[in-house]
Amino acid sequence: MNNREVAIVAARDAGELIQKYVNKNFQVEEKSSVFDLVTEVDRESEQLIRKKILESNPTHRIIGEEGIDHVNDLTLLMESDDYIWVIDPIDGTTNFVHGLPGYCISIALVYKKEIILGVIYDPNLNELFCAEKGKGAYLNDRKLSISDIKKIEYSVLATGFPSDIKGARAKVIQGINEIGSVCSNIRSYGAAALHLAYVAAGRLEGYWEYNLNAWDIAAGYLLVKEAGGIVSDTSGNLYELTTRDILATNGQIHTELVGKL
Ligand code: LIP
């Protein structure tokens, strides 16, 4: 199997595992705060994905949401390791815990500090988003391209509510105050990776959020880029793996949104 196939099989198998727990009891714990949840299903999903990757690539480094403490480790790892897989075993854990749809598996592969592969799988809708560097972005078999809407007033945008309520969430609310009255509408599905996939698919014109981690963004970044969009931080500096405040758009409304954030 090549790396793309490995990522797709891992994402689909993890999706199948996660769906077995829907409407069942599972263990839920708080991580950094009461707003930051992890379940035994996140951990099982991460183990499954790690196993699949290592079967084909025993020497590759893997960082996952439930496996390392902080994204700062990534900066160091990029100096020592050529291949790094960046995985979120369930992005949208709060939705999953509440029996809501709107969660996914996100898997990215970094080679020499560059994201070369991104896979996001939504097991509720059986939507598999996949992008490879220089080869375009796809939803199942359909090639994706970003929306061509040029004005904020016609744009549907998304944001998310991070667990850090005093800093990041307060900034999100400030952003909604700025943008909410001038755009067509605002959505918040509760999963950063899905928001990014939806920008790539032209379903949303843009998405912003603060204080995210690499595993929330890495795969979605490549999808947006390969579909023709722009990903930067909220000040307009182009995305790097350590970027935590994120703005992804179809490009047409990017500068105006940077001005408003
Ligand atoms: C979550 C994101 C969500 C964001 C949260 C959190 P998790 O990831 O995708 O959109 O608002 O801050 O990072 O914890 O469900 O993997």
Side-chain angles (χ1 to χ4, degrees):
M1 277 200 284
N2 62 34
N3 286 327
R4 178 177 166 277
E5 290 162 343
V6 168
I8 289 174
V9 169
R12 283 197 185 277
D13 287 0
E16 204 178 307
L17 168 89
I18 293 164
Q19 294 308 83
K20 286 191 183 145
Y21 284 89
V22 170
N23 296 327
K24 303 254 160 55
N25 288 328
F26 49 81
Q27 225 176 25
V28 183
E29 287 164 41
E30 291 167 17
K31 288 198 291 184
S32 60
S33 77
V34 64
F35 301 120
D36 190 10
L37 304 178
V38 62
T39 72
E40 61 179 306
V41 191
D42 293 66
R43 296 204 172 101
E44 256 192 68
S45 172
E46 180 156 332
Q47 268 166 22
L48 180 153
I49 297 166
R50 281 177 181 271
K51 191 162 169 270
K52 292 271 171 209
I53 293 170
L54 291 174
E55 272 165 13
S56 303
N57 303 293
T59 61
H60 286 190
R61 175 75 67 168
I62 303 170
I63 66 162
E65 178 170 21
E66 313 314 338
I68 70 163
D69 283 343
H70 198 274
V71 77
N72 281 345
D73 296 354
L74 188 54
T75 312
L76 292 175
L77 287 178
M78 280 194 293
E79 297 305 325
S80 58
D81 290 68
D82 279 350
Y83 283 99
I84 305 175
W85 294 79
V86 183
I87 62 180
D88 192 338
I90 303 181
D91 185 39
T93 300
T94 301
N95 280 343
F96 178 65
V97 168
H98 283 255
L100 291 163
Y103 52 86
C104 61
I105 297 103
S106 177
I107 301 176
L109 176 59
V110 176
Y111 175 64
K112 294 196 171 174
K113 303 181 184 175
E114 245 192 298
I115 300 165
I116 57 166
L117 171 68
V119 168
I120 292 172
Y121 180 54
D122 175 346
N124 285 295
L125 296 176
N126 190 24
E127 290 193 323
L128 192 288
F129 297 87
C130 179
E132 281 181 281
K133 189 173 172 261
K135 294 187 183 169
Y138 291 82
L139 163 50
N140 298 329
D141 291 331
R142 183 164 62 85
K143 194 164 198 288
L144 297 178
S145 74
I146 39 88
S147 135
D148 61 4
I149 284 178
K150 293 176 181 54
K151 292 190 169 171
I152 288 189
E153 57 260 45
Y154 298 111
S155 296
V156 177
L157 307 172
T159 189
F161 292 85
S163 48
D164 161 22
I165 49 163
K166 287 201 182 114
R169 204 179 278 191
K171 281 201 270 180
V172 166
I173 291 165
Q174 211 179 321
I176 293 173
N177 275 332
E178 281 296 316
I179 297 164
S181 54
V182 295
C183 67
S184 169
N185 221 314
I186 295 188
R187 299 285 179 260
S188 187
Y189 292 107
L194 279 185
H195 286 144
L196 289 164
Y198 290 178
V199 173
R203 294 172 178 173
L204 296 168
E205 277 63 51
Y207 159 64
W208 86 95
E209 190 167 341
Y210 299 92
N211 209 30
L212 292 172
N213 287 299
W215 45 81
D216 301 311
I217 310 168
Y221 154 79
L222 193 62
L223 279 157
V224 174
K225 195 154 176 262
E226 287 294 324
I230 295 182
V231 185
S232 73
D233 66 14
T234 45
S235 306
N237 304 299
L238 284 184
Y239 173 76
E240 290 172 17
L241 262 166
T242 48
T243 301
R244 306 191 69 172
D245 300 342
I246 192 89
L247 173 64
T249 74
N250 64 356
Q252 310 272 5
I253 56 168
H254 207 87
T255 311
E256 206 177 335
L257 280 184
V258 169
K260 292 191 183 299
L261 294 172

